Amino acid sequence: MSNLTTNFNNKTIKYKQLLSNFKSLLKKNSLKFTVQREVILKTLYNSDIHLTPESLHQLIQKKYPELKTGIATVYRTLSLLEESGIATSLSFGAQGKKYELGAKKHHDHLICTECGSITEFVDEEIEHRQQKITEELGFKMSDHSMQIYGICKKCQNK
Amino acid sequence: MSNLTTNFNNKTIKYKQLLSNFKSLLKKNSLKFTVQREVILKTLYNSDIHLTPESLHQLIQKKYPELKTGIATVYRTLSLLEESGIATSLSFGAQGKKYELGAKKHHDHLICTECGSITEFVDEEIEHRQQKITEELGFKMSDHSMQIYGICKKCQNK
DNA sequence: ATAGTTTTTGGATATAATTGCAAAAAATAT
DNA sequence: ATATTTTTTGCAATTATATCCAAAAACTAT
């Protein structure tokens, strides 16, 4: 499975800092810093909504048409970002996956199964428990992801 | 590919009970009870490992060749089972999805990124917090999923 | 049991995601 | 700077997953 090495953890971060983290991650794993990878990272950073690989690809094609970035590269880079903990993906069953930078600050997700909206939240207590549980089981945690599915307030009032 | 699963707190329900739940769910939603749906449920029930749609399909074809169950039906039924909370899927990035019956008792997952093994666990405190958080946010929770990624004990000692 | 209605099915088709490969770009060595 | 090595890229091919549709099966009402 994944064999990437990472060493920084995720806090709210300026793009410059993020980029520098990304670069050192690449170097550490003998990967190359390419203009496509940068553009993908930057576009994700500048988007405040969760993007699908497809929509991210379209955004990039429109903004940087001269690059002719292929969809395969978008998929590959998103996987890379996810494996290294820089981005996170949310599963939407039939509707595919959506990505976001996980670099802001760690948080979990409430997903409305009616309208697809995503609400983020952080709960220290849960984070704590997770740490404790993994320790008890002799597991060395590197990452986690949690989603709660249900119906949001708006959709309940319809 | 590794596959061992450890169950803690495994309150397995009887197949008869599960089947009856499934039937009433179908009726409630004006869906029909078909032999294909039963075979898929039963095969999932009888497997103690997490199955991909593809491997589930192969198992069924081998055991019930006269049914000529199509892969599309397997996918459709798995989605149905997941939506209704009877089964859960775990994402494995490039390696696709794996399904299990969620009917035993709710649990979360520790996934080893080294060997791919899955360990299940339940933590009441986390379950509690989840409930509380969703209530506070006016959300009506129907389901949730949590995965912790890291390195398992075995793989650490290599 | 039979006929009428509704839903599901398998197969084909369409879309999403991944992978192989030769050419191109990036890093390294000279 | 240029040549050599390593990795990435885009495209095409493949595999995974979802959807369309006509025929078949399940249910309902007689």
Side-chain angles (χ1 to χ4, degrees):
Chain A
M1 301 209 111
S2 168
N3 46 2
L4 283 178
T5 13
T6 335
N7 65 355
F8 41 85
N9 55 6
N10 308 325
K11 289 183 193 140
T12 310
I13 231 177
K14 287 280 188 328
Y15 179 66
K16 208 174 157 181
Q17 176 64 50
L18 175 65
L19 184 61
S20 142
N21 286 350
F22 186 41
K23 281 184 179 171
S24 69
L25 171 97
L26 291 173
K27 182 150 281 179
K28 203 167 158 195
N29 294 288
S30 315
L31 300 174
K32 289 175 180 175
F33 179 70
T34 66
V35 54
Q36 288 85 349
R37 282 176 176 162
E38 175 170 15
V39 156
I40 290 167
L41 184 74
K42 190 195 293 179
T43 308
L44 255 189
Y45 182 85
N46 288 329
S47 164
D48 44 351
I49 62 167
H50 297 74
L51 296 171
T52 62
E54 192 54 60
S55 58
L56 178 54
H57 181 229
Q58 283 173 359
L59 264 180
I60 289 172
Q61 285 203 318
K62 190 173 273 182
K63 192 148 186 191
Y64 312 90
E66 74 285 1
L67 282 185
K68 294 194 192 325
T69 311
I71 184 80
T73 300
V74 173
Y75 275 106
R76 280 184 290 230
T77 304
L78 284 174
S79 300
L80 170 64
L81 289 172
E82 182 162 31
E83 274 174 46
S84 63
I86 293 183
T88 342
S89 76
L90 298 173
S91 229
F92 272 79
Q95 288 113 117
K97 273 186 178 181
K98 290 186 183 176
Y99 285 80
E100 65 169 339
L101 283 183
K104 307 172 191 173
K105 179 170 193 330
H106 179 78
H107 52 255
D108 298 310
H109 297 92
L110 285 175
I111 301 174
C112 178
T113 52
E114 199 70 21
C115 66
S117 71
I118 302 171
T119 309
E120 302 172 352
F121 72 92
V122 190
D123 188 71
E124 285 307 329
E125 210 169 297
I126 289 181
E127 307 280 319
H128 246 206
R129 284 300 294 169
Q130 290 175 329
Q131 191 56 55
K132 199 157 190 181
I133 289 161
T134 55
E135 274 169 19
E136 275 169 20
L137 295 175
F139 203 84
K140 202 174 155 213
M141 167 159 93
S142 61
D143 192 17
H144 70 266
S145 101
M146 181 175 123
Q147 298 84 238
I148 297 181
Y149 299 92
I151 318 272
C152 72
K153 224 171 192 172
K154 260 187 206 165
C155 291
Q156 284 174 55
N157 301 331
K158 273 182 194 165
Chain B
M1 162 76 83
S2 173
N3 48 23
L4 264 198
T5 305
T6 321
N7 292 349
F8 302 153
N9 220 330
N10 187 4
K11 286 216 172 140
T12 309
I13 71 173
K14 288 276 185 332
Y15 179 66
K16 210 174 158 183
Q17 176 65 49
L18 175 65
L19 184 61
S20 143
N21 288 350
F22 186 41
K23 280 183 179 172
S24 67
L25 171 96
L26 291 173
K27 182 150 282 179
K28 205 167 152 193
N29 296 301
S30 316
L31 300 175
K32 290 174 179 177
F33 180 70
T34 65
V35 55
Q36 287 85 350
R37 281 176 177 163
E38 175 170 14
V39 156
I40 290 168
L41 183 73
K42 191 195 292 178
T43 308
L44 255 189
Y45 182 85
N46 288 330
S47 165
D48 45 350
I49 62 167
H50 296 75
L51 295 171
T52 62
E54 192 54 60
S55 58
L56 179 54
H57 181 229
Q58 283 173 0
L59 264 180
I60 289 172
Q61 285 203 316
K62 191 173 268 180
K63 193 149 190 192
Y64 312 90
E66 74 283 3
L67 281 186
K68 294 194 190 324
T69 311
I71 184 79
T73 300
V74 173
Y75 275 106
R76 278 185 292 231
T77 304
L78 284 174
S79 300
L80 170 63
L81 289 172
E82 182 162 31
E83 273 172 46
S84 62
I86 292 183
T88 342
S89 75
L90 298 173
S91 230
F92 271 79
Q95 287 110 121
K97 275 185 177 182
K98 290 186 183 176
Y99 285 80
E100 66 170 340
L101 283 183
K104 307 170 187 175
K105 178 170 195 327
H106 178 79
H107 54 255
D108 298 308
H109 297 91
L110 284 174
I111 301 174
C112 179
T113 53
E114 200 68 22
C115 66
S117 72
I118 302 170
T119 307
E120 301 172 352
F121 72 93
V122 190
D123 187 71
E124 286 306 329
E125 209 168 301
I126 289 182
E127 307 278 319
H128 240 217
R129 285 299 295 170
Q130 289 175 330
Q131 190 59 53
K132 201 158 190 181
I133 289 160
T134 56
E135 274 170 20
E136 274 169 22
L137 296 174
F139 204 83
K140 203 174 153 211
M141 167 157 96
S142 60
D143 193 17
H144 71 266
S145 101
M146 182 176 122
Q147 298 85 237
I148 297 180
Y149 299 91
I151 317 273
C152 74
K153 221 170 191 169
K154 259 188 206 163
C155 290
Q156 282 175 54
N157 301 332
K158 270 182 195 163

